[in-house]
Amino acid sequence: MNCQKSLDLAYKIRLHALEMTSRGGTSHIASIFSMADLVAVLYADVLRYDPRNPRMPGRDRLLLSKGHAGAGIYAALAESGFFPVEELLTHCQNGSRLSGHVSHKGVPGVEASTGSLGQGLPMAMGMAMAAKLNHEDHRIYCIIGDGECDEGAIWESALIAHQYKLDNFIVTIDFNKIQSLAPVEETIALEPLDEKWRAFGWHVIRVDGHDHEALHRAYEEARGAMGGGKPVVVIADTVKGKGVSFMEHSVLWHYRTARGEEYEAALKELEAGKP
């Protein structure tokens, strides 16, 4: 399996996001890094879309429910041809359409504005339900955070998606084990997470969220399960801050902005890990 395209995209997402958040003075870089490989595989090899026609009726829809990591989506969209890569440098600047939390306002390729945790998943579920009712064959993808699974709306949506047999719906959990202020297990323990989703009637796939070959296989399995009457959840075990050693496994980098020596050190590590 040739994963070079997605590996290259993941590398570019991390580079762009580091510069974007540093220039704009924003945070959540560690949250972006943990999901970069997931986003890269989806945009490089899984999603059906046309950057020349962003509202193409038959396109797959991707919603980022953990909207605070929106810089990662903007980077993927720019590298996929939806708008010029140079525009990424305006992120969170006055007058820019690229806000800190992902926004669909004027941004081609973004399906919905998100950021209030727990709300993106039910929006995506509604899209999946509408597609079913209208006999449309596009797929709905949604990326959620692990801390976001503390929200009741997540589990209500999980129940409803199973009730209505939304087998056109694929949810990915960025399970990086750290919430905004503390490790997940110290806040509200989620394990056994796969058993919980299975008990809610979902087809469950668990995978290393940084292994591109494994991710490709997981999404192939997810697509193969479509039509089987169950929604699909891909639980991706990830590392918060993946790619920069001093950011990895650190609560601090949920909100911290890399500047000066920290920026240069992070950039050096990312460049050293170029695929």
Side-chain angles (χ1 to χ4, degrees):
M1 182 183 297
N2 187 350
C3 300
Q4 194 60 46
K5 185 178 179 182
S6 62
L7 287 166
D8 288 342
L9 181 55
Y11 171 70
K12 291 174 182 176
I13 289 171
R14 288 187 171 96
L15 282 183
H16 286 313
L18 179 66
E19 183 170 19
M20 292 162 69
T21 55
S22 182
R23 279 175 173 264
T26 58
S27 52
H28 306 305
I29 188 63
S31 298
I32 298 165
F33 283 2
S34 69
M35 74 169 194
D37 296 296
L38 313 175
V39 173
V41 169
L42 286 168
Y43 276 99
D45 297 310
V46 176
L47 296 175
R48 179 171 52 192
Y49 62 85
D50 181 356
R52 297 164 300 180
N53 183 15
R55 306 302 294 177
M56 178 181 75
R59 72 191 184 282
D60 291 334
R61 277 72 162 167
L62 171 65
L63 273 74
L64 178 68
S65 193
K66 45 172 283 181
H68 54 280
I73 294 295
Y74 294 146
L77 290 172
E79 287 290 345
S80 299
F82 283 87
F83 54 86
V85 170
E86 293 74 21
E87 188 177 349
L88 295 175
L89 298 180
T90 72
H91 182 247
C92 275
Q93 306 294 325
N94 287 340
S96 175
R97 59 181 177 171
L98 304 181
S99 57
H101 285 63
V102 69
S103 172
H104 73 284
K105 187 176 181 181
V107 184
V110 178
E111 299 292 340
S113 302
T114 58
S116 294
L117 296 181
Q119 294 186 4
L121 179 61
M123 279 196 287
M125 183 198 65
M127 291 180 180
M129 188 178 295
K132 277 281 190 181
L133 291 171
N134 293 326
H135 306 289
E136 296 167 343
D137 66 354
H138 59 269
R139 299 168 296 224
I140 312 298
Y141 293 81
C142 186
I143 298 174
I144 68 176
D146 47 11
E148 191 172 9
C149 290
D150 296 349
E151 298 281 357
I154 297 295
W155 300 103
E156 185 177 356
S157 298
L159 286 170
I160 295 171
H162 172 254
Q163 176 72 20
Y164 288 94
K165 298 180 173 58
L166 301 183
D167 52 13
N168 58 343
F169 191 27
I170 300 172
V171 173
T172 301
I173 302 175
D174 177 17
F175 196 12
N176 62 35
K177 319 298 188 298
I178 294 177
Q179 298 182 228
S180 59
L181 300 175
V184 168
E185 291 300 292
E186 294 178 12
T187 307
I188 298 181
L190 293 175
E191 294 285 24
L193 189 57
D194 45 358
E195 291 181 23
K196 287 182 172 69
W197 284 86
R198 195 170 288 114
F200 274 65
W202 287 56
H203 180 99
V204 179
I205 304 166
R206 192 152 188 172
V207 66
D208 179 343
H210 302 301
D211 183 330
H212 284 232
E213 287 192 8
L215 285 168
H216 279 84
R217 289 194 297 271
Y219 287 118
E220 285 178 8
E221 180 182 338
R223 292 195 302 271
M226 297 182 73
K230 290 184 177 183
V232 179
V233 61
V234 177
I235 301 174
D237 287 295
T238 60
V239 173
K240 194 145 187 172
K242 178 67 175 178
V244 175
S245 60
F246 58 86
M247 294 183 183
E248 292 181 357
H249 307 288
S250 172
V251 173
L252 178 67
W253 286 95
H254 185 84
Y255 289 117
R256 192 174 179 85
T257 303
R259 284 177 164 161
E261 291 182 359
E262 289 178 327
Y263 174 86
E264 295 301 329
L267 180 61
K268 184 176 180 180
E269 286 199 31
L270 291 178
E271 290 177 339
K274 182 178 181 179

